[in-house]
Structures are given as C-alpha cells and as structure tokens.
Amino acid sequence: MANGRVVQTADRTIGSRQLAALLPAEVLARPGYRSLADALRTLILDGRIALHVRLPAERELAEAVGASRATVTGAYDLLRESGYVRSRRGSGTWTELPDGHRPVGAHALVGAGGHGADGEPGIDLAIAAMGAPEGLLADAVARAAPRLPEAARTPGYHPFGLPDLREAVAERFTRRGLPTRPEQILVTSGAQQAFSLVVSLLCRPGDRVVTENPTYANALDALRHARLRTGSIAVSDAGWDMEIAESTLRQTVPRLAYVIPDFHNPTGALMPEEQRLRLLAATWRTGTWLVVDETIADIALDVPAPAPLASLAPRGGADHVVTIGSLSKTHWGGLRVGWVRATAKMITELTAVRVSADMTGSVLDQLVALPLLAGMERSLPARLAELRSRRAALVDSLQRHTPEWSWQVPPGGLSLWVDLGEPVSSALAERAAAAGVHIGRGARFGVDPGTFEHRLRIPYTLPADRLDEGVRRLAAAFHDGVPLPPSVNRPYWVA
C-alpha cells in the first residue's frame, strides 16, 4: 500500500527511497520527466506528501527511481513553473501549492438554499445529512411532552446530561460490545461540541495532534482554532496505511489522534479489525489519546454495523480511547444531542469544561432523544434502505452526466469521494454556486490547505430528483468549455 502513504516527518524532509516508494509502478518502469512531475503533483494534491516538505536532491532521486538527472531536473522545473514546488539556492526544493489554493475556512454559512444566477432553486450538496424521518420526530415529541411538566418544575440544569439519557446511551454501547456505565457518558450539544470539549481538555496551543487526511472538515477547524500542530495519516482509495500511521505516531508522539474508522468522512472507507488493533496498540505505546468519531458508525449500508473500536482493546487497555457520537446523522441534525464515552474521571473533567462554555444542554432536546434512541433498532432499517436507494440514484446520475469522473461506492456512510481527474475542485465549486449548487470542495477536507483540489464530496442524502438535478448542474459547470476561474476562496461551511 505504498501509494496510500503520507509523508510528514519531524524534520519535514522526505528521503529519495521514501519518495520512490510512493510513485506508481508505471512511472518507475518508464520514468519520463512529465510523468514524474504528474505523479509528484498528484501526491502533493492528495496530501500523501505534506506541504512545506523538502524533496530529495535531483541526483539522489534520479538514482532512487532509475532515471537520468535530466529527467528529475525537468520534472522539478515543471513543478516549479506550475507552482507546486519552490527552490532556493542552498536550501533545496520544497513542496507548496499554486496561487489561489489558500485555506478555506468555515467562518460563514454559505449555502445554496436560495437561487442561482439563473433564478433556479438552490441545491445544497454540502450537507451530508438527511431530513428527519417522516413522522418519527413528531411521535418522539409527543412521547416527550408528558415528561416536560415534571422537568419544568426543576431548575433544568443537568451538566452531565439527563440521567435517563446517559443510561440509555451507556446501555447502547454495552449492547454493541463495549460495557459502559452511565457515569462514563457526557451528553453534549452534538458531536462537534463533544470533540471541541475533548480538545479543550486534553490539548494546549502548540501540542501535536494527528488526524487522517482527508478528514472531517469541522474537526480540522476545531484543531486550527485551538492552535495545534497537525500531522496526518493518508486515507486513500485503498484505505489506511498502518505502517505510516505507526511511524507517524512513533516519530511525532502526538498528544491526541482523531480518527473516523467507521465509514470515514469523506471517503466512506471502513477500517479492518486488524488495523484497529494496531491503532489501539500504537496509540497506547505513545501515550496518545485516541478520539474515535462514531457519528456515522450506524450508517452501515452493505455490511454489519461495526462494534466500537474501544471494544477490541484488552481489559484495561482502552482507557486512552475517547468515543464521540450523536443523533445528527441517524435522525436529524436539528436535534442537538451528542455524547462522549470515556473514563468516569475524564467525564467529570469534561463536564467542568462544559459548564464554563454553556452550563448545560437542552432538556427538551434530550427528552425527545430518549424515545428516538430507544426505538433506533426499529427505525434505522428504513432509513438505511432509503440511503441505499439514494446512493444508487447518485451513482446513476454521475455515470450519465459525468462519466469521466471516478469514485468508489463505499459500504456505508453518506457520500461519495469523487475524483474529477484534474485539480479544479474549488473553481468548479465557485461556478456551481452561480448555478445554485453548494458543494463540498475537496480542499475543505485536507490537513494541508489546498490539497484534494481534484476531489468533491457529494452526499447522497437528497431525494433522487434533487440529486440528479444537482449533478446535471455540476456537469454543465464542468463541461461548458470555458476555462474554470481561479478560486476566490469564499468560506464554505460543510457538515
């Protein structure tokens, strides 16, 4: 799995043999300067070679790949001309990105809920979440209503969460194979708050953390806001490279590692059990807190829902694992109910942090969440069947409108990670916005700003007709024959 590796060493240098191991076999078989430059550019865009990393000297790389020095010189020249590397006499050649590939933050909510320039209704393909199941939310509200008068006679402050809901979440972890007590659960206002609280408690500005690359965009925003130094482990179409993961953990000894092993966002990949065991062992050895995001773990479309990663640890070997989840993806994002599962001691410490931020969560939301969680095994199959149908509809639309794009159908999750074949994601998103389509450009999911410019995340959470119309407009923006404009870096919000 060499082509799935990311390089991010402590001294920000990649050796010639390391780099050669990342190159495709066809490039090594017949190394030409254009094919070598294309391969290196792809590695940079994919995040498999991090930004601001020093590349090998021309003579060293030529020897490693079996090419002439002139071939490597030509490749580096092409990369310099296109803005993917910079060179300075005496300091070497370093990776970077062309002008226009700048950070895309989440500082504003910009959606396509209105209309495009042509007056057509907007289509939001940036939000990987469905509307609430028909009738289910109303039924849960009706069942919660009788409990509200009793709750209203109290002050309404429950910093740890409603006791009944903590017990229900703990019971569900136990049923899934991870014995859990209510005192190991903190109820939060969604999984994003859960993650932010964990980061706030465990990390200080300047600490090293590791995430997958690509990863959930809003988690990256939280890490950047906390001013943490972020290393990365690549998740490619082939999945995780655990050798590089172990090497990165060993070299950087990060304070925290954040992973989405269950139908990874945005790629949809599912981490095999053997890799989960290796990740548990590696983070235990380095004393790294392992934060597991289970927000999408129940969206299992073609395989059984996975057991919690922490359940694979030997007795007493999962105390460094913190698991977060929510009802946002399985039920409704407007119901702000999430949770943290950790040791009872850490839950107490997290609650102290939580009190300083917002005191407590909504009692009404938690009362509504109780019947939803209790009836999840009955309601979820219909939800998954609807998602399978919408996934098939999206694949069909892409095959008809954009056959030159490529993707892998994931075994679960909520979106496709689409390869455009060229680095135009941000520019395409700008053009699509003018047509009323809001889309998650690939750069939003990269640890290094501007990477994954050849990718789009396209959720299959809208009805089939809206998906088809959205893809049709994307295809028109991609195919209209006019050169794609440079990105103006409008701040996009995705979920």
Side-chain angles (χ1 to χ4, degrees):
M1 286 176 52
N3 288 344
R5 297 178 180 174
V6 66
V7 174
Q8 185 151 14
T9 58
D11 60 358
R12 307 291 291 183
T13 299
I14 178 173
S16 57
R17 292 184 179 179
Q18 282 181 293
L19 181 51
L22 294 172
L23 295 171
E26 58 270 22
V27 173
L28 295 174
R30 299 185 63 182
Y33 77 98
R34 289 190 182 276
S35 63
L36 180 58
D38 288 342
L40 292 173
R41 180 167 54 246
T42 298
L43 291 173
I44 295 168
L45 287 169
D46 262 349
R48 285 176 277 171
I49 300 178
L51 296 182
H52 315 301
V53 165
R54 186 168 59 192
L55 296 176
E58 294 170 2
R59 187 183 303 279
E60 293 175 1
L61 184 58
E63 293 177 358
V65 302
S68 68
R69 182 174 179 178
T71 296
V72 177
T73 299
Y76 279 11
D77 285 344
L78 282 179
L79 292 171
R80 272 189 289 270
E81 291 169 7
S82 55
Y84 287 91
V85 302
R86 58 178 171 81
S87 298
R88 190 172 60 196
R89 185 178 298 277
S91 66
T93 299
W94 298 74
T95 58
E96 64 176 16
L97 288 171
D99 290 341
H101 296 266
R102 298 186 180 91
V104 282
H107 309 297
L109 174 58
V110 182
H115 294 77
D118 55 5
E120 294 188 83
I123 299 174
D124 201 330
L125 291 176
I127 306 300
M130 300 175 72
E134 187 173 351
L136 194 65
L137 187 60
D139 179 66
V141 171
R143 294 177 64 183
R147 298 192 57 177
L148 192 56
E150 179 185 355
R153 286 192 287 270
T154 73
Y157 289 94
H158 299 275
F160 289 90
L162 287 181
D164 287 357
L165 186 55
R166 297 178 74 196
E167 184 175 349
V169 173
E171 286 179 355
R172 190 156 197 282
F173 271 112
T174 300
R175 288 197 306 273
R176 294 175 58 221
L178 180 60
T180 302
R181 304 184 308 278
E183 56 265 34
Q184 292 180 269
I185 299 297
L186 168 65
V187 178
T188 62
S189 298
Q192 184 66 16
Q193 187 194 52
F195 181 62
S196 295
L197 289 173
V198 171
V199 169
S200 179
L201 175 67
L202 298 180
C203 301
R204 295 293 178 266
D207 281 351
R208 290 185 179 275
V209 298
V210 166
T211 75
E212 297 145 327
N213 193 29
T215 191
Y216 181 50
N218 295 324
L220 285 174
D221 287 335
L223 297 175
R224 290 166 182 150
H225 181 73
R227 293 179 291 166
L228 302 175
R229 293 183 292 168
T230 308
S232 60
I233 302 164
V235 182
S236 67
D237 289 337
W240 291 258
D241 187 327
M242 208 45 60
E243 289 183 17
I244 289 297
E246 290 166 335
S247 174
T248 300
L249 289 165
R250 187 170 57 251
Q251 292 181 33
T252 62
V253 191
R255 176 70 173 162
L256 178 150
Y258 169 75
V259 296
I260 312 172
D262 309 311
F263 317 120
H264 173 263
N265 185 1
T267 69
L270 179 63
M271 184 182 287
E273 182 174 315
E274 180 268 338
Q275 293 188 354
R276 293 169 186 248
L277 291 169
R278 291 175 67 178
L279 182 61
L280 279 167
T283 50
W284 178 264
R285 285 193 300 269
T286 57
T288 298
W289 291 101
L290 178 59
V291 180
V292 180
D293 188 338
E294 283 197 341
T295 308
I296 316 178
D298 289 302
I299 312 298
L301 303 181
D302 301 329
V303 296
L309 188 149
S311 68
L312 299 176
R315 185 175 180 84
D319 285 355
H320 70 300
V321 182
V322 180
T323 305
I324 62 177
S326 79
L327 293 177
S328 296
K329 305 302 185 182
T330 54
H331 290 79
W332 188 42
L335 190 68
R336 302 310 301 156
V337 174
W339 50 81
V340 182
R341 192 266 184 201
T343 63
K345 180 178 182 294
M346 175 174 284
I347 291 300
T348 300
E349 294 171 346
L350 281 170
T351 303
V353 176
R354 191 261 179 83
V355 168
S356 70
D358 72 346
M359 296 294 291
T360 187
S362 164
V363 171
L364 180 56
D365 281 18
Q366 292 179 68
L367 288 174
V368 172
L370 271 168
L372 293 177
L373 199 62
M376 193 164 172
E377 273 64 34
R378 296 189 301 274
S379 63
L380 191 58
R383 190 77 153 169
L384 299 183
E386 186 175 13
L387 279 167
R388 290 186 196 98
S389 174
R390 294 183 179 188
R391 183 183 61 178
L394 176 58
V395 168
D396 177 70
S397 295
L398 289 169
Q399 289 173 337
R400 286 185 289 107
H401 296 301
T402 56
E404 66 272 50
W405 294 357
S406 61
W407 58 88
Q408 289 192 356
V409 178
L414 296 161
S415 56
L416 299 182
W417 186 232
V418 177
D419 190 335
L420 305 176
E422 50 186 308
V424 295
S425 174
S426 292
L428 177 58
E430 292 296 335
R431 179 179 289 173
V437 177
H438 182 206
I439 189 73
R441 61 180 73 186
R444 279 291 286 123
F445 304 90
V447 171
D448 288 313
T451 50
F452 301 106
E453 271 295 318
H454 60 307
R455 293 279 191 172
L456 287 179
R457 189 194 69 170
I458 308 182
Y460 38 80
T461 50
L462 294 179
D465 60 334
R466 301 300 288 159
L467 287 173
D468 189 65
E469 177 62 17
V471 172
R472 185 192 68 79
R473 296 190 200 180
L474 283 173
F478 187 78
H479 291 143
D480 67 4
V482 179
L484 288 163
S487 168
V488 297
N489 301 300
R490 180 185 300 175
Y492 278 95
W493 181 85
V494 298

